[in-house]
Amino acid sequence: MTNHSTFVLLAFLVPTLGACGAADDAIGTQSGAVKVDNGKHLFNHETFDGNGRTCSSCHLKDTGTMSPADVQKLYAHHPNDPLFRSLDSDDGVGNSYTRLLQTATVRLPIPLPANVVLLDDPTARVVYLNRGTPTVMNIGLDPVLMVDGRQPDLTSQAIGAVDTHYQAHREPTSDEASAIAAFQRTLFNRDALEDYANGGPAPTPPAGCTASEKRGRAFFDPTQPRGLCASCHNGSMLNETGPNNPFQPVGQRFSSNFSAEFNHNNFPVHTFQFTLPDNSVITMVTPDAGRALITGNPCTIIPNVCGLLGPGTAGSIFKIPTLWGVKETAPYFHDNSAATLSDVVDHYQQFFAITAQGTGNDLFLLSDQDKADSVAFLQLL
């Protein structure tokens, strides 16, 4: 069996955007430029004198990410693979890998802003969070990187990944990091998205062919009374807040969906205390405070996320992901807590039920048929 660290990230057969049962030819990477070729080699083979990992250790060829099934298959055949290093073990020292095997999440160190105290350990200046690996498919069309938006560009993202996951003995040079970024900009799982990146027309959601697909489409249309999903999945890449969002202005790239608060994976919960510029204090009891750990203020993006869970509290906010090619990039959410699209919609049935209660609007309530219709549409993207 081929070791994951040697996988070559190639494009694969995917359906055309909006097609009903049709399929395109395979999408090839842009291999003409020497820089892209160099980046491809670095992505798949360069360990930077570290623990044996490469970019492709976690960003696999079919999805650009990794799933629990991927991790379990690898562990069954290659338990000493570089993916299984102590820094991503359950305890950080290598005694067991249950969490990695069950959820495909890595153990991510995030520095605490100066105004944030971890009440579990008041002297700590770093918190360790369990997060999934964001897909690199279509990443060249997304200026917001990582689930908390902490990296400003793909070059910085490449350096950050080496620093965080490789236990490297040398830093990528600026040319190496730039080449990896150039290669990642060639990774698409839809022809229409590659065309869009090269100056073509913006992709538009398909109308659907079956009655279920067409009903599901309405949930992603901000002009429809029940365009619930379009409140956060709007714009060309379906990753921006829409005009029907009752809590945020149009075009924002971060939002809250209670994925941290529901904590479906039962990850350890931390208590974060934020002291804001006006000396007010916000306390977040959550497995992951998300974007707030980058900005130092959980109230800046969605002001009414503060107090939502009670006085002096805030909800966790994360990047809104694109939905194009979503059926090929499981698992979902920042913590990989949804294994399938059905799991995603089950989560939103719970989330929208709370929204319906808070707003007094029963349009937010999803029936089992609504869920099936939404999944049918998502599978078209």
Side-chain angles (χ1 to χ4, degrees):
M1 178 178 176
T2 305
N3 184 293
H4 275 201
S5 65
T6 63
F7 274 138
V8 176
L9 197 64
L10 298 174
F12 45 91
L13 286 173
V14 293
T16 307
L17 295 182
C20 299
D24 282 342
D25 292 333
I27 303 170
T29 58
Q30 301 170 11
S31 58
V34 171
K35 186 175 186 179
V36 170
D37 282 342
N38 288 341
K40 179 178 178 180
H41 177 81
L42 292 165
F43 190 97
N44 290 294
H45 300 292
E46 182 57 61
T47 66
F48 297 98
D49 299 331
N51 57 20
R53 291 179 176 179
T54 69
C55 300
S56 59
S57 293
C58 296
H59 298 286
L60 307 186
K61 67 184 181 72
D62 289 338
T63 64
T65 180
M66 64 178 179
S67 70
D70 295 322
V71 177
Q72 292 162 19
K73 183 177 180 180
L74 181 63
Y75 191 73
H77 295 276
H78 298 285
N80 295 319
D81 184 88
L83 182 62
F84 305 104
R85 294 291 183 254
S86 60
L87 74 169
D88 285 315
S89 63
D90 297 326
D91 56 6
V93 296
N95 286 322
S96 62
Y97 292 90
T98 302
R99 186 208 68 258
L100 180 59
L101 288 163
Q102 292 182 350
T103 68
T105 54
V106 297
R107 190 168 175 266
L108 186 70
I110 296 292
L112 295 172
N115 66 315
V116 180
V117 175
L118 185 65
L119 295 186
D120 321 21
D121 182 1
T123 64
R125 297 317 307 153
V126 173
V127 63
Y128 288 87
L129 305 173
N130 302 320
R131 289 184 182 172
T133 302
T135 181
V136 291
M137 291 297 176
N138 314 312
I139 197 171
L141 285 168
D142 197 340
V144 177
L145 303 174
M146 320 307 291
V147 297
D148 55 17
R150 67 183 181 276
Q151 296 294 357
D153 53 51
L154 283 171
T155 300
S156 298
Q157 179 265 331
I159 295 171
V162 172
D163 289 344
T164 303
H165 305 292
Y166 284 50
Q167 297 171 300
H169 287 85
R170 75 174 184 87
E171 283 275 304
T173 66
S174 58
D175 285 344
E176 286 173 326
S178 180
I180 292 172
F183 171 65
Q184 290 189 95
R185 293 189 190 99
T186 71
L187 302 175
F188 299 96
N189 57 13
R190 294 293 183 270
D191 275 340
L193 298 180
E194 185 171 16
D195 292 342
Y196 181 43
N198 291 323
T204 56
C209 298
T210 69
S212 180
E213 291 165 356
K214 291 175 181 178
R215 290 193 301 267
R217 172 68 182 86
F219 289 106
F220 296 84
D221 184 345
T223 69
Q224 296 297 311
R226 300 197 69 199
L228 311 178
C229 304
S231 64
C232 286
H233 292 288
N234 193 54
S236 298
M237 292 301 293
L238 305 177
N239 58 4
E240 304 175 12
T241 52
N244 61 334
N245 189 310
F247 306 109
Q248 296 176 256
V250 175
Q252 293 205 9
R253 294 296 314 280
F254 296 89
S255 194
S256 174
N257 66 359
F258 280 13
S259 54
E261 286 73 22
F262 287 172
N263 193 16
H264 296 301
N265 282 338
N266 294 314
F267 284 154
V269 173
H270 305 286
T271 303
F272 300 92
Q273 183 173 282
F274 294 76
T275 302
L276 304 187
D278 63 359
N279 290 321
S280 63
V281 174
I282 296 290
T283 300
M284 296 178 68
V285 181
T286 176
D288 194 330
R291 179 68 173 162
L293 295 178
I294 307 306
T295 65
N297 189 334
C299 307
T300 53
I301 296 175
I302 316 175
N304 39 355
V305 80
C306 283
L308 184 66
L309 306 174
T313 67
S316 298
I317 297 170
F318 296 94
K319 168 187 169 179
I320 303 170
T322 181
L323 296 181
W324 291 119
V326 68
K327 69 179 180 180
E328 289 124 13
T329 58
Y332 308 103
F333 300 140
H334 70 282
D335 57 358
N336 286 353
S337 57
T340 67
L341 289 175
S342 292
D343 292 336
V344 169
V345 182
D346 285 345
H347 168 90
Y348 278 106
Q349 184 182 46
Q350 298 176 57
F351 175 69
F352 285 139
I354 295 172
T355 306
Q357 183 177 12
T359 61
N361 187 348
D362 287 347
L363 287 177
F364 284 98
L365 297 175
L366 295 180
S367 68
D368 289 343
Q369 184 63 61
D370 293 335
K371 291 195 297 179
D373 294 342
S374 297
V375 171
F377 176 73
L378 286 168
Q379 290 175 335
L380 296 178
L381 295 173

